[in-house]
Amino acid sequence: MGNSHMLCLFLLCLIGGEDVVKGVKGLGCNWGTQSTHPLQPNIVVQLLKDNGFNKVKLFEADPGALRALGRSGIQVMVGIPNDLLAPLASDFQAAVNWVQQNVSDYVSRHAVDIRYVAVGNEPFLKTYKDTFLHTTFPALKNIQAALVRAGLAKKVKVTVPLNADVYQTDNGLPSGGNFRSDIHDLMISIIKFLSDNDSPLTINIYPFLSLNADPNFPKEFAFFNGSAAPVVDGSISYTNVFEANFDTLISALEKNGFSSMPVIIGEIGWPTDGDPSANAEYAQWFNQGLLNRIFQGQGTPKRKTPPDIYLFSLIDEDDKSTLPGNFERHWGIFYFDGTIKYQLNIGNGKSLVPAKGVRYLGRQWCVLSPTASITDPSLASSISYACTYADCTSLGYGSSCSRLDPRQNASYAFNMYYQTMDQRIGSCSFNNLSVITNLNPSQGTCRFEIMIDLGKHEIAPRRSLAGKIQTSTMGVILALILIIYGFF
């Protein structure tokens, strides 16, 4: 999610509140950049345009992405990471500098159509344990004041993308909605400030996480086909968790005097790998259902007009933290290289089209040698090493590569490391257990990747792979070892 969680992809006809909040029809999505082999920004912008997206949400002011978005006709929401909230909260000049460098300069020099600044990303998540509780609102106020000083406040609106766990229901029904008691007063202060400045409230809703977190959750209630047993709330019957979740928020706003507050859905989608419930079939089912609602102009029982919504996400990101789950790296409707995972009807009889102009490394893979034994004592440590520095989440239980045999498991791990290291000489050396092959070892739903050739694209410098040790979980490595030895 934009690194987040909770209830309830593609996106939709945007129609909302005032000024820029009141709107324009279009498709919106999130563009995350936590990838070891990112697509060139110009290729991503063309991918957006080719698929009808005219609104995009960035999680940070990435220079390459912002420059590429200049004069593109795409409206931009640019994010401020949580680790910047404290300095922006404590120093107004820091906020002025941030707006100048990341908003004013791109608007004036590159003609980027920035419409929103997202201050923080789900800063009140319970898992953050109040880390950003005292800095989010001051940072929000300073950024707003800095936009006023820059003469941009009428066009560029502030917002705070929040996880749906900022509200709850006392009676288990949407009508019981209210904001969490521990942050109630703070939420009301933030909402009033946004309202006073004609700015929207932004909420992320994830039906996938509702289904994933509760083994007893009725599967049909996560989707939009209307076949779920309804949840009856007075005169209203809810047949999907998205409507129930969204109307819980609307009830909370109504209870606190903000019944007409504009709301944006900042993230919503379905992952395709890393968990038994994360697969292309479910993702297509969910996202096509969401699109159909938007095309039909269908809102919720409490808000008949569809909210502005940003699909999460455009492309997969193999460098994201897996702490929320292995699925975290697989939210894209496109793979990391802009190829299509599954088709969607995006309106007017059009279907998705893949990225153009992508250059790849050589057509070769690193695999377990035919002469190597799976009982070799160094095999487990070699796999563990490979999966510390490369993404092995597709090997987990119920994932796209979970049905590989022990030899194929090892080959997958070795190849992911080899590709992540740009097929460099020596990167397919695992204690004499591996060889390079020109035969594609992909099996069924399991893709043995070839990475993008970064040397053939002009892109920003890559981050060090050393940081992946922090985002890789030992659970993935241990699961791999157990899978292998489980076949002995």
Side-chain angles (χ1 to χ4, degrees):
M1 304 142 355
N3 298 320
S4 17
H5 316 50
M6 193 168 150
L7 303 163
C8 241
L9 165 211
F10 226 105
L11 190 80
L12 28 202
C13 303
L14 285 87
I15 316 167
E18 304 251 341
D19 280 314
V20 298
V21 178
K22 190 170 207 161
V24 186
K25 292 183 179 180
L27 297 176
C29 68
N30 288 265
W31 172 7
T33 57
Q34 295 185 56
S35 176
T36 62
H37 289 71
L39 280 172
Q40 183 185 26
N42 287 338
I43 291 178
V44 176
V45 171
Q46 191 60 50
L47 179 67
L48 290 166
K49 295 170 71 173
D50 288 346
N51 288 283
F53 289 104
N54 67 351
K55 295 175 174 64
V56 70
K57 177 169 164 277
L58 304 175
F59 292 96
E60 57 187 342
D62 182 84
L66 285 167
R67 285 194 295 268
L69 285 163
R71 298 180 178 86
S72 66
I74 297 173
Q75 298 176 8
V76 179
M77 179 187 293
V78 60
I80 297 176
N82 290 337
D83 58 4
L84 292 183
L85 293 176
L88 293 174
S90 62
D91 184 356
F92 174 62
Q93 188 58 47
V96 170
N97 294 343
W98 190 93
V99 167
Q100 178 62 46
Q101 295 166 11
N102 300 295
V103 182
S104 300
D105 283 358
Y106 287 107
V107 170
S108 61
R109 295 173 57 191
H110 299 282
V112 182
D113 188 6
I114 298 176
R115 298 298 184 98
Y116 301 102
V117 173
V119 183
N121 184 53
E122 301 186 332
F124 304 147
L125 265 179
K126 292 180 180 178
T127 53
Y128 289 155
K129 301 185 185 301
D130 299 342
T131 302
F132 309 108
L133 198 62
H134 303 294
T135 55
T136 300
F137 192 21
L140 177 69
K141 290 188 287 188
N142 279 348
I143 290 294
Q144 171 65 24
L147 288 169
V148 171
R149 176 177 286 193
L152 293 170
K154 288 188 177 181
K155 177 185 178 183
V156 183
K157 299 298 181 180
V158 292
T159 188
V160 181
L162 297 166
N163 188 272
D165 75 347
V166 299
Y167 51 90
Q168 57 194 19
T169 172
D170 296 332
N171 62 2
L173 299 171
S175 60
N178 207 338
F179 297 105
R180 266 175 27 208
S181 58
D182 60 313
I183 58 171
H184 182 274
D185 292 346
L186 177 58
M187 281 296 303
I188 299 308
S189 296
I190 288 174
I191 292 168
K192 184 178 187 307
F193 181 82
L194 293 173
S195 178
D196 290 345
N197 288 283
D198 295 324
S199 294
L201 177 66
T202 300
I203 293 292
N204 301 337
I205 296 178
Y206 282 102
F208 166 78
L209 292 173
S210 299
L211 178 65
N212 187 256
D214 183 359
N216 298 314
F217 190 90
K219 181 179 70 174
E220 292 77 12
F221 200 60
F223 300 92
F224 298 106
N225 61 359
S227 63
V231 172
V232 179
D233 188 2
S235 61
I236 300 174
S237 293
Y238 291 96
T239 58
N240 65 79
V241 71
F242 169 75
E243 287 188 350
N245 186 299
F246 186 82
D247 278 4
T248 302
L249 168 64
I250 301 306
S251 292
L253 290 169
E254 291 173 348
K255 281 186 177 68
N256 292 280
F258 297 96
S259 58
S260 60
M261 182 74 192
V263 176
I264 288 175
I265 304 299
E267 299 176 25
I268 184 170
W270 201 281
T272 56
D273 210 349
D275 185 89
S277 297
N279 56 65
E281 178 186 358
Y282 282 7
Q284 184 183 44
W285 183 11
F286 179 84
N287 291 317
Q288 191 63 68
L290 179 61
L291 273 180
N292 293 342
R293 290 173 58 91
I294 300 303
F295 296 150
Q296 295 163 11
Q298 183 178 354
T300 68
K302 281 185 168 291
R303 288 244 175 135
K304 300 302 182 183
T305 301
D308 294 8
I309 304 175
Y310 289 75
L311 154 70
F312 190 83
S313 177
L314 184 68
I315 47 182
D316 284 351
E317 301 172 76
D318 70 339
D319 210 15
K320 291 189 71 177
S321 169
T322 57
L323 289 178
N326 289 343
F327 53 79
E328 192 64 16
R329 295 176 176 173
H330 303 279
W331 287 95
I333 54 171
F334 295 95
Y335 290 106
F336 76 100
D337 58 353
T339 53
I340 299 169
K341 293 182 178 181
Y342 51 87
Q343 266 301 349
L344 289 171
N345 175 359
I346 56 176
N348 298 320
K350 294 182 179 180
S351 299
L352 297 178
V353 295
K356 299 181 178 68
V358 182
R359 305 287 185 88
Y360 295 89
L361 298 172
R363 187 174 173 80
Q364 56 191 31
W365 297 263
C366 178
V367 297
L368 184 68
S369 171
T371 61
S373 171
I374 59 174
T375 62
D376 189 296
S378 63
L379 183 59
S381 60
S382 295
I383 293 173
S384 177
Y385 181 84
C387 291
T388 297
Y389 291 94
D391 178 25
C392 293
T393 54
S394 293
L395 286 170
Y397 172 72
S399 300
S400 63
C401 299
S402 62
R403 296 183 180 180
L404 299 183
D405 65 28
R407 302 191 68 86
Q408 294 165 342
N409 268 310
S411 293
Y412 184 91
F414 291 169
N415 184 64
M416 285 306 296
Y417 178 84
Y418 178 61
Q419 303 294 342
T420 302
M421 294 299 174
D422 298 313
Q423 299 184 357
R424 289 197 293 269
I425 295 174
S427 59
C428 187
S429 297
F430 292 93
N431 299 301
N432 297 315
L433 295 171
S434 53
V435 296
I436 294 173
T437 179
N438 298 118
L439 298 176
N440 189 342
S442 298
Q443 299 283 330
T445 61
C446 183
R447 290 169 34 122
F448 279 62
E449 304 287 4
I450 295 177
M451 289 296 182
I452 295 169
D453 188 342
L454 299 179
K456 293 183 179 178
H457 293 298
E458 295 178 3
I459 64 169
R462 294 171 57 199
R463 290 177 293 166
S464 169
L465 281 173
K468 291 185 70 61
I469 296 176
Q470 295 179 331
T471 61
S472 146
T473 63
M474 287 305 297
V476 173
I477 298 167
L478 292 173
L480 261 176
I481 296 171
L482 289 172
I483 289 170
I484 292 169
Y485 286 103
F487 282 88
F488 288 172

